[in-house]
Amino acid sequence: MSTRALALLILLVSSSPSTGSSQQVQPLVSGCVDGTPQIPHACVDGTLAARGLLTDTGLLLGLGSAAPGSWGPLRRNAPRFEVSFRAAGLRAHIPVITHERVTGLAKTEFVLGTIQGNLIAGLFEGFQVKPTVGGLFSLDLMAQGNLLFFPKEIGLDSRMGAFSLGMRLGLVRETFTLPGIALSISRRFMGPLTLDWESGHYSTGLVIEPSISSVRLTIGKSMSSLGFMAGAGLDSHNSEVKLTVLPKGSHPAEFNAPLVLLRPVLFSGVSLSLLILQLSTEVGWAFGPPMLEGHALGPIDPTQGSGFLSLAARLSVR
């Protein structure tokens, strides 16, 4: 069973599009360059900034497992509610917009952090296929709230709230001989992201309306008081972006286009159970998006992936 599950995890990531076909950002760049041909680099860098900020923020909302330390359906005749809190951070990357030394210029690298609260409610225990195989098609409902922390240097509010709703479908409930396996689907909700940069020659503005969905497949097994988990997932972005470029002495040019991205994620974790309290940690890696046409490598690689680390505490209640 464990070999098949690991093969399924690898298949989930390898089969997800990772080439240029998995993203739709070129219309935004092309429209901007046609409208402001004198500063094409502003269009490219503005699009890369939108892409980097959106994917890293979406990753921080989703992270690895849908709920920390909980890799399968809730057990029968056991607590049917789980409450957990998680703190996490990752190093994010967005390009310098103007290629100039100006006040308030965005850093190329900075740290994003979040404090997250999760609630899981067991709705359906699933079907018992064999005495030792159960939890088939069990259903848990999930709710999550996030408080995101941004550095002041990038021009966003220092704090921003977000929340997620989703469900977890059990494939196998963990037993003495079998690991727990589950598939989770979540929808992320947060307010617009607005950024502005200015220089002596032009200014650039971004308004991003995030729209993020996440899928996670997890497999885990407890051994005495320790638990081990591995998983894979996919973050899907389909967000509206408004890019505004204002050359010096000219009228502002605004360009609107959807930004569509798929981002695979791999993660693993370990947990320690103490009666109804569980402490856990996770590490993971999200693959970077493909190279954008017309962009040469500069101070940072826009295809670079992102690693993350989280610490969590979970309480199981009836």
Coordinates of all heavy atoms in Angstrom, one line a residue, residues 101-173:
R101 N 17.9 52.9 -8.4 CA 17.9 53.1 -7.0 C 17.0 54.2 -6.6 O 17.2 55.4 -6.8 CB 19.4 53.5 -6.5 CG 20.4 52.4 -6.8 CD 21.8 52.8 -6.3 NE 21.8 53.0 -4.9 CZ 21.9 52.1 -3.9 NH1 22.1 50.8 -4.3 NH2 21.9 52.4 -2.7
V102 N 15.8 53.8 -6.1 CA 14.8 54.8 -5.7 C 14.3 54.5 -4.3 O 14.4 53.3 -3.8 CB 13.6 54.8 -6.7 CG1 14.1 55.2 -8.1 CG2 13.0 53.4 -6.8
T103 N 13.7 55.5 -3.7 CA 13.1 55.3 -2.3 C 11.9 54.4 -2.4 O 11.0 54.5 -3.3 CB 12.7 56.7 -1.8 OG1 13.8 57.5 -1.8 CG2 12.2 56.5 -0.3
G104 N 11.8 53.4 -1.5 CA 10.7 52.5 -1.4 C 10.7 51.4 -2.4 O 9.7 50.7 -2.6
L105 N 11.9 51.2 -3.0 CA 12.0 50.1 -4.0 C 11.8 48.7 -3.4 O 12.3 48.5 -2.3 CB 13.4 50.2 -4.7 CG 13.6 49.3 -5.9 CD1 12.7 49.7 -7.1 CD2 15.1 49.4 -6.3
A106 N 11.1 47.9 -4.0 CA 10.8 46.5 -3.4 C 12.1 45.7 -3.3 O 12.9 45.8 -4.2 CB 9.8 45.8 -4.3
K107 N 12.2 45.0 -2.2 CA 13.4 44.1 -2.1 C 13.2 42.9 -3.0 O 12.1 42.5 -3.3 CB 13.5 43.6 -0.7 CG 13.9 44.7 0.3 CD 14.1 44.0 1.7 CE 14.7 45.0 2.7 NZ 14.8 44.4 4.0
T108 N 14.3 42.4 -3.5 CA 14.2 41.2 -4.3 C 13.9 40.0 -3.5 O 13.3 39.0 -4.0 CB 15.5 41.0 -5.1 OG1 16.6 40.8 -4.1 CG2 15.8 42.1 -6.0
E109 N 14.3 39.9 -2.2 CA 14.0 38.8 -1.3 C 13.5 39.3 0.0 O 14.0 40.3 0.5 CB 15.3 37.9 -1.1 CG 15.7 37.2 -2.4 CD 16.8 36.2 -2.0 OE1 17.3 36.3 -0.9 OE2 17.2 35.4 -2.9
F110 N 12.5 38.7 0.5 CA 12.0 39.1 1.8 C 11.3 37.9 2.4 O 11.0 36.9 1.8 CB 11.0 40.3 1.7 CG 9.9 40.1 0.7 CD1 8.7 39.6 1.1 CD2 10.2 40.4 -0.6 CE1 7.7 39.4 0.1 CE2 9.2 40.2 -1.6 CZ 7.9 39.7 -1.2
V111 N 10.9 38.0 3.7 CA 10.3 36.9 4.4 C 8.8 37.2 4.6 O 8.5 38.3 5.1 CB 11.0 36.7 5.8 CG1 10.2 35.6 6.6 CG2 12.4 36.3 5.6
L112 N 8.0 36.2 4.2 CA 6.6 36.3 4.5 C 6.2 35.3 5.6 O 6.8 34.2 5.7 CB 5.8 35.9 3.3 CG 5.7 36.8 2.1 CD1 4.9 36.2 0.9 CD2 5.1 38.1 2.5
G113 N 5.4 35.7 6.5 CA 5.0 34.9 7.7 C 3.5 34.9 7.9 O 2.8 35.7 7.4
T114 N 3.0 33.9 8.6 CA 1.6 33.7 8.8 C 1.4 33.0 10.1 O 2.2 32.2 10.6 CB 0.9 33.0 7.7 OG1 -0.5 33.0 7.9 CG2 1.3 31.5 7.6
I115 N 0.2 33.4 10.8 CA -0.3 32.6 11.9 C -1.7 32.1 11.4 O -2.5 32.8 10.9 CB -0.5 33.5 13.1 CG1 0.9 34.0 13.6 CG2 -1.2 32.7 14.2 CD1 0.8 34.9 14.8
Q116 N -1.9 30.8 11.6 CA -3.0 30.1 11.0 C -3.8 29.3 12.0 O -3.2 28.7 12.8 CB -2.5 29.2 9.9 CG -3.5 28.4 9.1 CD -2.9 27.4 8.1 OE1 -2.8 26.2 8.4 NE2 -2.3 27.9 7.0
G117 N -5.1 29.4 11.9 CA -6.0 28.6 12.8 C -6.8 27.6 11.9 O -7.3 28.1 10.8
N118 N -6.9 26.4 12.3 CA -7.7 25.4 11.5 C -8.7 24.7 12.3 O -8.5 24.4 13.5 CB -6.7 24.3 11.0 CG -5.7 24.9 10.0 OD1 -5.9 25.0 8.8 ND2 -4.5 25.3 10.5
L119 N -9.9 24.4 11.7 CA -10.9 23.6 12.4 C -11.4 22.5 11.4 O -11.7 22.8 10.2 CB -12.1 24.5 12.7 CG -13.4 23.7 13.2 CD1 -13.1 23.0 14.6 CD2 -14.5 24.7 13.4
I120 N -11.4 21.2 11.9 CA -11.8 20.1 11.1 C -13.0 19.5 11.8 O -12.9 19.2 13.0 CB -10.7 19.1 10.8 CG1 -9.6 19.7 10.1 CG2 -11.3 17.9 10.1 CD1 -8.4 18.7 9.8
A121 N -14.1 19.2 11.1 CA -15.2 18.5 11.6 C -15.5 17.3 10.8 O -15.6 17.3 9.6 CB -16.5 19.4 11.6
G122 N -15.6 16.1 11.5 CA -15.9 14.9 10.8 C -17.4 14.8 10.5 O -18.2 14.9 11.4
L123 N -17.7 14.6 9.2 CA -19.1 14.6 8.8 C -19.6 13.2 8.5 O -20.7 12.8 8.8 CB -19.2 15.5 7.5 CG -20.7 15.7 7.0 CD1 -21.4 16.6 8.1 CD2 -20.7 16.5 5.7
F124 N -18.7 12.3 7.9 CA -19.1 11.0 7.5 C -17.9 10.1 7.7 O -16.8 10.4 7.3 CB -19.6 10.9 6.0 CG -19.9 9.6 5.5 CD1 -20.9 8.8 6.1 CD2 -19.3 9.1 4.4 CE1 -21.2 7.5 5.7 CE2 -19.6 7.8 3.9 CZ -20.5 7.0 4.5
E125 N -18.2 8.9 8.4 CA -17.1 8.0 8.8 C -16.6 7.2 7.6 O -15.5 6.6 7.7 CB -17.5 7.1 9.9 CG -17.8 7.9 11.2 CD -18.2 6.9 12.3 OE1 -18.4 5.7 12.0 OE2 -18.3 7.4 13.5
G126 N -17.3 7.1 6.5 CA -16.9 6.3 5.4 C -17.3 4.8 5.5 O -18.0 4.4 6.5
F127 N -16.9 4.1 4.5 CA -17.3 2.7 4.4 C -16.2 1.7 4.9 O -15.1 2.0 4.7 CB -17.7 2.3 3.0 CG -18.8 3.1 2.4 CD1 -18.6 4.2 1.6 CD2 -20.2 2.8 2.8 CE1 -19.6 5.0 1.1 CE2 -21.2 3.6 2.2 CZ -20.9 4.7 1.4
Q128 N -16.7 0.7 5.6 CA -15.7 -0.4 6.1 C -15.7 -1.5 5.0 O -16.6 -2.3 4.9 CB -16.2 -0.9 7.4 CG -15.1 -1.7 8.1 CD -14.0 -0.9 8.8 OE1 -14.2 0.3 9.0 NE2 -12.9 -1.5 9.1
V129 N -14.6 -1.5 4.3 CA -14.5 -2.5 3.2 C -14.1 -3.9 3.8 O -14.6 -4.9 3.4 CB -13.4 -2.1 2.2 CG1 -13.3 -3.1 1.1 CG2 -13.7 -0.7 1.6
K130 N -13.1 -3.9 4.7 CA -12.7 -5.1 5.4 C -12.6 -4.8 6.9 O -12.6 -3.6 7.3 CB -11.4 -5.6 4.8 CG -11.4 -6.1 3.4 CD -10.0 -6.6 2.9 CE -10.1 -7.0 1.5 NZ -8.7 -7.5 1.0
P131 N -12.4 -5.8 7.7 CA -12.2 -5.5 9.2 C -11.0 -4.6 9.4 O -11.0 -3.8 10.4 CB -12.0 -6.9 9.8 CG -12.7 -7.8 8.9 CD -12.6 -7.2 7.5
T132 N -10.0 -4.6 8.6 CA -8.8 -3.8 8.8 C -8.7 -2.7 7.7 O -7.7 -2.0 7.7 CB -7.5 -4.7 8.7 OG1 -7.5 -5.4 7.4 CG2 -7.5 -5.7 9.8
V133 N -9.7 -2.5 6.9 CA -9.7 -1.5 5.9 C -11.0 -0.7 5.9 O -12.0 -1.2 5.6 CB -9.5 -2.1 4.4 CG1 -9.4 -0.9 3.4 CG2 -8.2 -2.9 4.4
G134 N -10.9 0.6 6.3 CA -12.1 1.4 6.5 C -11.8 2.8 6.1 O -10.7 3.2 5.6
G135 N -12.8 3.6 6.3 CA -12.7 5.1 6.0 C -12.8 5.4 4.6 O -12.5 6.5 4.2
L136 N -13.3 4.5 3.7 CA -13.4 4.7 2.3 C -14.5 5.8 2.1 O -15.6 5.6 2.5 CB -13.7 3.5 1.6 CG -13.9 3.6 0.1 CD1 -12.5 4.0 -0.6 CD2 -14.4 2.3 -0.5
F137 N -14.1 6.9 1.4 CA -15.0 8.0 1.1 C -15.5 8.7 2.3 O -16.6 9.2 2.3 CB -16.1 7.5 0.2 CG -15.7 6.9 -1.1 CD1 -16.3 5.8 -1.6 CD2 -14.7 7.6 -1.9 CE1 -15.9 5.2 -2.8 CE2 -14.3 7.0 -3.1 CZ -14.9 5.8 -3.5
S138 N -14.8 8.7 3.4 CA -15.2 9.5 4.6 C -15.0 10.9 4.2 O -14.3 11.3 3.3 CB -14.3 9.1 5.8 OG -12.9 9.5 5.5
L139 N -15.7 11.8 4.9 CA -15.8 13.2 4.6 C -15.6 14.1 5.8 O -16.3 13.9 6.8 CB -17.1 13.5 3.9 CG -17.3 15.0 3.4 CD1 -16.2 15.3 2.3 CD2 -18.7 15.2 2.8
D140 N -14.6 15.0 5.7 CA -14.4 16.0 6.8 C -14.5 17.3 6.2 O -14.1 17.6 5.0 CB -13.0 15.8 7.4 CG -12.7 14.5 8.0 OD1 -13.7 13.9 8.5 OD2 -11.6 14.1 8.1
L141 N -15.1 18.3 6.9 CA -15.2 19.7 6.5 C -14.1 20.5 7.2 O -13.8 20.2 8.3 CB -16.5 20.3 6.8 CG -17.7 19.6 6.2 CD1 -19.0 20.3 6.5 CD2 -17.6 19.5 4.6
M142 N -13.5 21.4 6.4 CA -12.3 22.2 6.9 C -12.6 23.7 6.8 O -13.1 24.1 5.8 CB -11.1 21.8 6.2 CG -10.7 20.3 6.2 SD -9.2 20.0 5.3 CE -9.6 20.5 3.7
A143 N -12.2 24.4 7.8 CA -12.2 25.9 7.8 C -10.8 26.4 8.3 O -10.3 25.8 9.2 CB -13.3 26.4 8.6
Q144 N -10.4 27.4 7.7 CA -9.0 28.0 8.1 C -9.0 29.5 8.0 O -9.6 30.1 7.1 CB -8.0 27.4 7.1 CG -6.6 28.0 7.2 CD -5.7 27.5 6.1 OE1 -5.5 26.3 5.9 NE2 -5.2 28.4 5.3
G145 N -8.4 30.1 9.0 CA -8.2 31.5 9.0 C -6.7 31.9 9.1 O -5.9 31.2 9.8
N146 N -6.3 32.9 8.3 CA -4.9 33.3 8.3 C -4.7 34.7 8.6 O -5.5 35.6 8.2 CB -4.3 33.0 6.9 CG -4.0 31.6 6.6 OD1 -4.9 30.8 6.3 ND2 -2.7 31.2 6.8
L147 N -3.6 35.1 9.3 CA -3.1 36.4 9.4 C -1.8 36.5 8.8 O -0.8 35.8 9.3 CB -3.1 36.8 10.9 CG -2.7 38.3 11.2 CD1 -3.7 39.2 10.5 CD2 -2.7 38.6 12.7
L148 N -1.6 37.2 7.7 CA -0.4 37.3 6.9 C 0.4 38.5 7.4 O -0.2 39.6 7.6 CB -0.7 37.4 5.4 CG -1.5 36.2 4.8 CD1 -1.8 36.5 3.4 CD2 -0.8 34.9 5.0
F149 N 1.7 38.4 7.4 CA 2.6 39.5 7.8 C 3.5 39.8 6.6 O 4.3 38.9 6.2 CB 3.4 39.1 9.0 CG 2.6 38.8 10.3 CD1 2.1 37.5 10.5 CD2 2.2 39.8 11.1 CE1 1.4 37.3 11.6 CE2 1.4 39.6 12.2 CZ 1.0 38.3 12.5
F150 N 3.5 41.1 6.2 CA 4.3 41.5 5.1 C 5.3 42.5 5.6 O 5.0 43.4 6.4 CB 3.4 42.2 4.0 CG 2.5 41.3 3.3 CD1 1.2 41.1 3.8 CD2 2.8 40.5 2.2 CE1 0.3 40.3 3.2 CE2 1.9 39.6 1.6 CZ 0.6 39.5 2.1
P151 N 6.5 42.6 5.0 CA 7.5 43.6 5.3 C 7.0 45.0 4.8 O 6.4 45.0 3.7 CB 8.8 43.1 4.7 CG 8.3 42.3 3.6 CD 7.1 41.6 4.0
K152 N 7.3 46.0 5.5 CA 6.9 47.3 5.0 C 7.5 47.8 3.7 O 6.9 48.6 3.0 CB 7.2 48.4 6.1 CG 6.4 48.1 7.4 CD 6.8 49.2 8.5 CE 6.0 49.0 9.8 NZ 6.4 50.0 10.8
E153 N 8.7 47.2 3.4 CA 9.4 47.7 2.3 C 8.7 47.4 0.9 O 9.0 48.1 -0.1 CB 10.8 47.0 2.2 CG 11.7 47.5 3.3 CD 11.6 46.7 4.6 OE1 10.6 46.0 4.7 OE2 12.4 46.8 5.5
I154 N 7.8 46.4 0.9 CA 7.2 46.1 -0.4 C 5.9 46.9 -0.7 O 5.3 46.7 -1.7 CB 6.9 44.6 -0.5 CG1 5.8 44.1 0.4 CG2 8.2 43.8 -0.3 CD1 5.4 42.7 0.2
G155 N 5.5 47.7 0.2 CA 4.4 48.6 0.0 C 3.0 48.1 0.3 O 2.0 48.8 0.0
L156 N 2.9 46.9 0.8 CA 1.6 46.4 1.2 C 1.4 46.7 2.7 O 2.2 47.1 3.4 CB 1.6 44.8 1.1 CG 1.6 44.3 -0.4 CD1 1.9 42.8 -0.4 CD2 0.3 44.6 -1.1
D157 N 0.1 46.5 3.1 CA -0.2 46.6 4.5 C 0.6 45.6 5.3 O 0.8 44.5 4.8 CB -1.7 46.4 4.8 CG -2.6 47.5 4.2 OD1 -2.1 48.6 4.0 OD2 -3.8 47.2 3.9
S158 N 1.0 45.9 6.5 CA 1.9 45.0 7.2 C 1.1 43.7 7.7 O 1.8 42.7 7.9 CB 2.4 45.7 8.5 OG 1.4 46.2 9.3
R159 N -0.2 43.8 7.7 CA -1.0 42.6 8.1 C -2.2 42.5 7.1 O -2.8 43.5 6.7 CB -1.5 42.7 9.5 CG -0.4 42.8 10.6 CD -1.0 43.0 12.0 NE 0.0 43.2 13.0 CZ -0.2 43.4 14.3 NH1 -1.5 43.5 14.7 NH2 0.8 43.6 15.1
M160 N -2.6 41.3 6.8 CA -3.7 41.1 6.0 C -4.4 39.7 6.4 O -3.7 38.7 6.6 CB -3.3 41.0 4.5 CG -4.4 40.8 3.5 SD -3.8 41.0 1.8 CE -3.3 42.7 1.7
G161 N -5.7 39.7 6.4 CA -6.4 38.5 6.8 C -6.8 37.7 5.6 O -7.0 38.3 4.5
A162 N -7.0 36.4 5.8 CA -7.5 35.6 4.7 C -8.2 34.4 5.3 O -7.9 34.1 6.5 CB -6.4 35.1 3.8
F163 N -9.0 33.7 4.6 CA -9.6 32.4 5.1 C -9.8 31.4 4.0 O -9.8 31.8 2.8 CB -10.9 32.7 5.8 CG -12.1 33.2 4.9 CD1 -13.0 32.2 4.4 CD2 -12.2 34.5 4.5 CE1 -14.0 32.6 3.6 CE2 -13.2 34.9 3.7 CZ -14.2 33.9 3.2
S164 N -10.0 30.2 4.3 CA -10.2 29.1 3.4 C -11.3 28.2 3.8 O -11.5 28.0 5.0 CB -8.9 28.3 3.2 OG -7.8 29.1 2.9
L165 N -12.0 27.6 2.9 CA -13.0 26.6 3.1 C -12.7 25.4 2.2 O -12.2 25.5 1.1 CB -14.4 27.1 2.8 CG -14.9 28.3 3.7 CD1 -16.2 28.8 3.1 CD2 -15.0 27.9 5.1
G166 N -12.9 24.2 2.8 CA -12.6 23.0 2.0 C -13.2 21.8 2.6 O -13.9 21.8 3.6
M167 N -12.8 20.6 1.9 CA -13.3 19.3 2.4 C -12.1 18.3 2.2 O -11.3 18.5 1.4 CB -14.5 18.9 1.7 CG -14.4 18.6 0.2 SD -15.9 18.0 -0.5 CE -15.4 17.7 -2.2
R168 N -12.2 17.3 3.0 CA -11.2 16.2 2.9 C -11.9 14.9 2.7 O -12.7 14.5 3.5 CB -10.3 16.2 4.2 CG -9.2 15.1 4.1 CD -8.3 15.3 5.2 NE -8.9 15.1 6.5 CZ -8.3 15.3 7.7 NH1 -7.0 15.7 7.7 NH2 -8.9 15.1 8.8
L169 N -11.5 14.2 1.6 CA -12.1 12.9 1.3 C -11.1 11.8 1.7 O -10.0 11.8 1.2 CB -12.4 12.8 -0.2 CG -13.1 11.6 -0.7 CD1 -14.5 11.4 -0.2 CD2 -13.1 11.6 -2.3
G170 N -11.6 10.9 2.6 CA -10.7 9.9 3.0 C -10.6 8.7 2.0 O -11.7 8.3 1.4
L171 N -9.5 8.2 1.7 CA -9.3 7.1 0.9 C -9.1 5.8 1.7 O -9.6 4.7 1.4 CB -8.1 7.3 -0.1 CG -8.2 8.5 -0.9 CD1 -7.0 8.6 -1.9 CD2 -9.5 8.6 -1.7
V172 N -8.3 5.9 2.8 CA -8.0 4.8 3.7 C -7.8 5.4 5.1 O -7.1 6.4 5.2 CB -6.8 4.0 3.3 CG1 -6.5 2.9 4.4 CG2 -7.0 3.3 2.0
R173 N -8.5 4.8 6.1 CA -8.3 5.3 7.5 C -7.1 4.6 8.0 O -6.9 3.4 7.8 CB -9.5 5.0 8.3 CG -9.3 5.5 9.8 CD -10.6 5.3 10.6 NE -11.6 6.3 10.2 CZ -12.7 6.0 9.5 NH1 -12.9 4.7 9.2 NH2 -13.6 6.9 9.2

